[in-house]
Amino acid sequence: MSIIKEIAAAVETGKSKVVGGLVETALAEGIDPAVILNEGMIAAMGVVGEKFKNNEIFVPEMLIAARAMKKGVEILQPQLQKQGVEPIGKIILGTVAGDLHDIGKNLVGMMLEGAGFKVIDLGVDVPAEKFIETMKANPDCKIVALSALLTSTMPAITSTIKAIEDAGLRNTVLIMIGGAPVTQAFADEVGADGYSEDAASAAELAKKLFAQANK
Ligand code: B1M
């Protein structure tokens, strides 16, 4: 098996402890870091996402795969930066005000990173002002991603979008939303640009929105 296939298999099966060593070996063999990232790790996360969507694996497997990928990315990050391989785009992500749930949001963040985005993760219980402040500090950011897990915090999605509008920044970003109680109908109602049901489709949606934003 080629080292790239070994890396992909290790990420896919969540072997955190071996991924770092395999990435180091691949680098020592002179393999391009972008190839290791794209053909090894990102490809593996694509497979993981598909399997998750098809109910062949579940959240724990997706989490351990994501953790394994993070280990590999940690080793690769300095090399990629040295080479000037840029992330495909920036996404500001957070769980909205009043909501402390972050497991799903973190999975979304990992899948977005797996898809090649740089994620600015603001954490949980994020007030609208914090999203706005971060948007102003990152004018090159094209997507804002809002997570909510409680029916009682869904209105915070609405008020965050409204605050972004009031700040005159709505036309600078596309907004995607998700979380267990969130639906496509709700997304339509609040004027979000996209909704996705799970972390794997969030990464797919982000790629679509990013392409749309760059048209
Ligand atoms: Co809470 N909680 N919780 N809780 N909690 C739920 C959400 C609940 C459904 C449990 C229940 O009653 N059956 C219920 C909400 C009911 C409702 O509003 N409809 C509930 C409640 C009521 C509460 C408290 C109010 C309880 C209390 O204190 N009385 C309280 C609220 C605290 C607060 O936020 N202010 C509370 C607290 C907590 C803990 C802190 C104990 C803990 C969170 C720990 C943490 O996140 N670090 C917790 C947990 C663990 C849960 C359950 C059991 C599990 C949530 C989870 O992590 N799921 C949950 C019940 C359940 O979901 N079965 C529950 C796994 C995770 C991978 O899925 O987060 O749905 P999920 O994310 C998915 C998708 O939703 C989607 O992708 C993810 C991966 O596929 N997704 C996005 C998420 N964000 C997205 C963003 C996107 C796109 C997709 O684009 C931007």
Side-chain angles (χ1 to χ4, degrees):
M1 202 194 288
S2 76
I3 187 81
I4 293 293
K5 283 201 174 132
E6 277 186 66
I7 290 169
V11 169
E12 207 185 310
T13 52
K15 298 207 166 53
S16 292
K17 288 190 181 140
V18 302
V19 170
L22 287 170
V23 170
E24 274 167 357
T25 307
L27 287 171
E29 284 180 12
I31 298 175
D32 186 337
V35 170
I36 301 173
L37 180 69
N38 294 321
E39 293 176 27
M41 296 194 279
I42 293 182
M45 290 306 273
V47 174
V48 170
E50 273 307 301
K51 285 190 173 170
F52 180 73
K53 252 198 261 182
N54 297 330
N55 291 325
E56 290 168 39
I57 60 166
F58 299 94
V59 169
E61 289 96 328
M62 192 154 75
L63 260 179
I64 60 167
R67 275 195 203 126
M69 164 135 187
K70 281 209 148 192
K71 286 277 169 203
V73 170
E74 270 168 32
I75 309 284
L76 219 47
Q77 197 86 36
Q79 305 293 328
L80 291 171
Q81 278 163 354
K82 225 188 276 169
Q83 271 204 346
V85 176
E86 292 295 328
I88 58 175
K90 267 190 201 171
I91 297 184
I92 297 169
L93 169 69
T95 302
V96 293
D99 199 319
L100 301 175
H101 295 84
D102 72 354
I103 297 171
K105 185 265 299 165
N106 292 345
L107 266 177
V108 169
M110 287 176 188
M111 293 304 284
L112 291 173
E113 283 177 356
F117 289 96
K118 172 167 171 46
V119 176
I120 303 173
D121 187 343
L122 301 180
V124 296
D125 190 15
V126 183
E129 301 72 44
K130 181 75 187 162
F131 282 105
I132 290 167
E133 186 188 302
T134 312
M135 286 169 70
K136 286 182 178 163
N138 294 274
D140 56 334
C141 175
K142 300 263 170 65
I143 300 176
V144 172
L146 308 175
S147 176
L149 255 287
L150 300 169
T151 44
S152 59
T153 55
M154 285 167 72
I157 291 184
T158 318
S159 53
T160 302
I161 296 176
K162 170 87 171 50
I164 290 171
E165 271 165 17
D166 292 347
L169 295 170
R170 183 66 184 92
N171 62 359
T172 66
V173 288
L174 293 168
I175 298 177
M176 56 187 275
I177 64 174
V182 178
T183 60
Q184 182 63 57
F186 178 74
D188 295 340
E189 191 187 310
V190 300
D193 300 292
Y195 154 76
S196 65
E197 197 180 357
D198 55 47
S201 27
E204 288 309 309
L205 172 65
K207 282 194 262 182
K208 261 190 237 152
L209 292 180
F210 191 70
Q212 199 177 311
N214 284 300
K215 258 190 195 161

